Amino acid sequence: MALANNHISVDCVIIGFDGEQLNVLLIERVCEEKGEWTHDMKLPGSLIYQDEDLDEAAARVLQELTGLKNVNMVQFKAFGSKDRTKNPKDVHWLERAMELKVDRIVTIAYLSMVKIDRKLNSHLADYKASWVPLKQIRTLAFDHNLIIKEALMYIRQYVEFNPAALFELLPRKFTALQLRVLFELIYEKELDVRNFHKKIAMMEYVVALEERQQGVSHRAARYYRFDKKIYNKLRH
Amino acid sequence: MALANNHISVDCVIIGFDGEQLNVLLIERVCEEKGEWTHDMKLPGSLIYQDEDLDEAAARVLQELTGLKNVNMVQFKAFGSKDRTKNPKDVHWLERAMELKVDRIVTIAYLSMVKIDRKLNSHLADYKASWVPLKQIRTLAFDHNLIIKEALMYIRQYVEFNPAALFELLPRKFTALQLRVLFELIYEKELDVRNFHKKIAMMEYVVALEERQQGVSHRAARYYRFDKKIYNKLRH
DNA sequence: GCAAAAGTGTTGGGCATACACCCATGA
DNA sequence: TCATGGGTGTATGCCCAACACTTTTGC
């Protein structure tokens, strides 16, 4: 029985929220099969170097493939099914793109939740990286659909212990509606508007601003912001 | 920059409860250094084979190193610091025991919670495996102290969503005291006796038996058992 | 009878749920 | 004036936390 002399990769599940939907950051993959060129999508991820920690590798790979820097990622699961690199399309792509004959790749999956804003998006196109709404995601490379599914399960548990993580998804100023939609998406159930306002009122670290929406064709909503200092104080 | 052609291992954190304390199953490691032979302890863990899934590898390795079969393990975290195999003692051991010159090993850590009973213990000695109380664990091989610490953090979250896991640690018949001590150890805080009894009473899947302790020099405690069928029914 | 652990009830506060109407704004 | 979403209060039930004494048993 051969000891595995395996390759190790990291894959990054970057989740963003556009005010209406959860999105995942995917990059384009160009495949050649029997002379035909096709495109599909994958998570940003690649093999790690010999001399870097897993966390370092994740940060490097994300930057190389999407241009994003300083994204706080958390490792959430390793995927090492022996079948995960068996799809001929994937094998083919690995051989061409990585110049690599590979038996199996164990991948360590990382997760981050970020604000989708102009600064972040400014260079994504250069990398053929784009935000894809969760519900519109088709079949991805390798087992990346599975990885995303598990990332979402992980998020649900994660935010219970780190409510602050939710606010990473929102712009600095956000409305009660945005926050509520976010909760509803993550917990997959609808919330009562009035109870939700009370809930916000009880979260001292969500502070109401005087500022309101402008130019909307209905009563303007109040803005809120997340106060990290208050949050941290309450945690201790 | 060299792509890592890494080795992958699995390590198993098997947690047991003896009625008073949490224990971890460790195996003995014999080291030779400058002609001196020393013993220390490590988690049961080893390299994976080329053709097995991670979960399969964990089950195989645990059986090979401790004789334990059919232990339900859950993957909880990957450890891949580039320094984790840099201790000379560990390097030395790897070269001798694994016949392997290794740059770095990424390990996928698995967790299980089990009953410590005679059946389980019957062959542990043959494997130089033994239960070590958490509080008495000294410096272990590699980063195994860290792995155990993270396992315990993981358990705390895990039992919130899978209360059933706790009962894996207890004998089939257990007293309220045992269950309470277990809660206290895992949550690291003391619980009020009366409130705890109410809590048990509300858990329909914890059923009181007529049977009581025998031969104790104080009022005999009632036994309880965990009813999996009721538990599963309530979860759906 | 005493040491040691088992077992038992009540109260108050906080938190989640359910539920319906008026307000502000732009078109 | 209408369509659209913003924003508000009350009542109820549940769960949790706090708190002290009596019971059983072996020695």
Side-chain angles (χ1 to χ4, degrees):
Chain A
M1 277 199 268
L3 280 182
N5 192 10
N6 289 283
H7 293 276
I8 299 170
S9 66
V10 288
D11 279 299
C12 307
V13 183
I14 311 295
I15 303 282
F17 177 63
D18 58 14
E20 292 179 8
Q21 291 190 77
L22 291 176
N23 289 257
V24 183
L25 188 61
L26 297 177
I27 60 178
E28 201 178 290
R29 179 176 79 157
V30 179
C31 295
E32 183 261 325
E33 222 176 349
K34 297 170 192 159
E36 293 217 0
W37 294 85
T38 55
H39 294 221
D40 65 357
M41 309 287 278
K42 69 187 286 291
L43 290 171
S46 190
L47 299 174
I48 67 174
Y49 293 147
Q50 193 69 268
D51 60 349
E52 61 187 353
D53 288 350
L54 296 175
D55 296 0
E56 286 169 24
R60 172 184 61 79
V61 164
L62 183 67
Q63 193 189 341
E64 287 177 3
L65 295 179
T66 67
L68 298 187
K69 276 197 245 191
N70 302 323
V71 173
N72 250 345
M73 291 185 285
V74 179
Q75 182 205 305
F76 73 94
K77 184 158 188 188
F79 294 82
S81 157
K82 62 195 174 201
D83 300 326
R84 66 181 297 275
T85 49
K86 287 289 179 280
N87 184 325
K89 192 173 182 180
D90 294 328
V91 173
H92 210 151
W93 179 80
L94 279 171
E95 286 172 5
R96 275 209 328 108
M98 302 274 115
E99 295 173 1
L100 200 67
K101 189 85 182 167
V102 160
D103 281 306
R104 185 249 298 267
I105 301 179
V106 170
T107 200
I108 317 292
Y110 279 78
L111 171 66
S112 185
M113 295 153 81
V114 300
K115 302 177 213 311
I116 301 183
D117 58 20
R118 284 195 197 82
K119 201 184 86 197
L120 204 73
N121 284 343
S122 53
H123 297 104
L124 287 185
D126 305 346
Y127 292 87
K128 303 213 170 164
S130 55
W131 291 109
V132 181
L134 263 188
K135 290 163 192 166
Q136 292 171 32
I137 292 178
R138 307 250 162 257
T139 302
L140 303 177
F142 304 106
D143 53 358
H144 290 187
N145 293 88
L146 173 65
I147 294 178
I148 292 171
K149 195 175 143 210
E150 299 230 14
L152 292 168
M153 285 171 51
Y154 186 83
I155 285 179
R156 248 162 253 149
Q157 303 199 5
Y158 190 71
V159 296
E160 299 258 333
F161 294 91
N162 297 290
L166 271 187
F167 298 94
E168 301 291 323
L169 288 165
L170 291 165
R172 256 208 308 290
K173 295 180 301 190
F174 52 87
T175 65
L177 176 62
Q178 286 176 314
L179 183 55
R180 181 163 54 86
V181 169
L182 187 49
F183 267 94
E184 289 177 346
L185 284 171
I186 287 177
Y187 291 106
E188 287 179 335
K189 69 166 183 171
E190 306 214 330
L191 298 175
D192 178 86
V193 188
R194 279 170 294 187
N195 293 334
F196 191 73
H197 273 274
K198 273 180 294 186
K199 186 173 184 151
I200 292 178
M202 282 201 305
M203 296 189 275
E204 293 178 47
Y205 49 84
V206 176
V207 310
L209 303 176
E210 286 314 308
E211 197 178 344
R212 279 153 200 279
Q213 283 181 319
Q214 303 243 332
V216 288
S217 74
H218 52 77
R219 182 172 173 181
R222 175 189 285 278
Y223 281 119
Y224 295 83
R225 69 178 176 80
F226 173 68
D227 189 308
K228 204 161 195 168
K229 279 183 196 157
I230 299 178
Y231 178 82
N232 286 331
K233 207 163 286 174
L234 295 174
R235 292 269 124 180
H236 297 306
Chain B
M1 280 201 267
L3 279 182
N5 195 10
N6 289 282
H7 293 275
I8 299 170
S9 66
V10 288
D11 279 299
C12 307
V13 183
I14 311 296
I15 303 282
F17 177 63
D18 59 14
E20 291 179 9
Q21 292 190 78
L22 291 176
N23 290 257
V24 183
L25 187 61
L26 298 177
I27 60 177
E28 199 178 291
R29 180 176 77 157
V30 179
C31 295
E32 181 262 324
E33 221 177 350
K34 297 170 192 160
E36 295 216 359
W37 295 85
T38 57
H39 293 221
D40 64 357
M41 308 287 278
K42 68 185 290 288
L43 290 171
S46 189
L47 299 173
I48 68 174
Y49 293 146
Q50 194 68 268
D51 60 348
E52 61 189 352
D53 289 350
L54 296 176
D55 297 358
E56 286 169 22
R60 172 184 59 81
V61 164
L62 183 66
Q63 193 188 341
E64 287 178 3
L65 296 179
T66 68
L68 299 188
K69 276 198 246 191
N70 302 322
V71 174
N72 251 344
M73 291 184 284
V74 179
Q75 183 206 305
F76 73 93
K77 185 160 186 185
F79 293 82
S81 157
K82 63 195 172 202
D83 300 325
R84 65 181 298 275
T85 49
K86 287 289 179 279
N87 184 324
K89 192 172 180 180
D90 295 329
V91 172
H92 211 148
W93 180 79
L94 280 170
E95 286 173 5
R96 274 206 331 105
M98 301 276 115
E99 296 173 0
L100 200 66
K101 188 86 183 166
V102 158
D103 282 305
R104 185 245 300 266
I105 301 178
V106 170
T107 199
I108 316 294
Y110 279 78
L111 171 66
S112 186
M113 295 151 82
V114 300
K115 300 178 214 312
I116 301 184
D117 56 21
R118 285 197 196 81
K119 202 185 87 199
L120 205 71
N121 285 343
S122 53
H123 297 104
L124 287 184
D126 305 345
Y127 293 87
K128 303 211 172 169
S130 56
W131 292 107
V132 181
L134 260 189
K135 289 162 193 168
Q136 291 171 30
I137 292 178
R138 308 249 161 257
T139 302
L140 302 177
F142 304 106
D143 51 358
H144 290 187
N145 293 88
L146 173 65
I147 294 178
I148 291 171
K149 195 174 142 210
E150 298 231 13
L152 291 169
M153 287 171 50
Y154 185 84
I155 285 179
R156 249 163 252 148
Q157 303 198 5
Y158 190 71
V159 296
E160 298 258 334
F161 294 91
N162 296 292
L166 271 189
F167 299 94
E168 301 293 324
L169 287 165
L170 291 166
R172 257 210 307 291
K173 294 182 301 190
F174 51 87
T175 65
L177 176 63
Q178 286 177 313
L179 184 55
R180 183 162 54 84
V181 168
L182 187 50
F183 266 94
E184 289 177 344
L185 283 171
I186 287 178
Y187 291 107
E188 286 179 335
K189 66 167 185 174
E190 306 213 330
L191 297 174
D192 179 87
V193 188
R194 278 171 291 187
N195 292 336
F196 192 73
H197 272 276
K198 273 179 293 185
K199 188 172 182 152
I200 293 178
M202 283 202 304
M203 297 190 278
E204 293 179 46
Y205 49 85
V206 177
V207 312
L209 304 177
E210 287 314 309
E211 196 177 345
R212 281 155 200 275
Q213 282 181 319
Q214 304 243 331
V216 287
S217 76
H218 52 77
R219 181 169 172 182
R222 176 190 284 280
Y223 282 120
Y224 295 84
R225 67 176 177 83
F226 173 69
D227 189 309
K228 204 159 194 169
K229 278 183 195 155
I230 299 179
Y231 178 82
N232 287 330
K233 208 164 283 173
L234 295 174
R235 292 268 123 179
H236 299 305

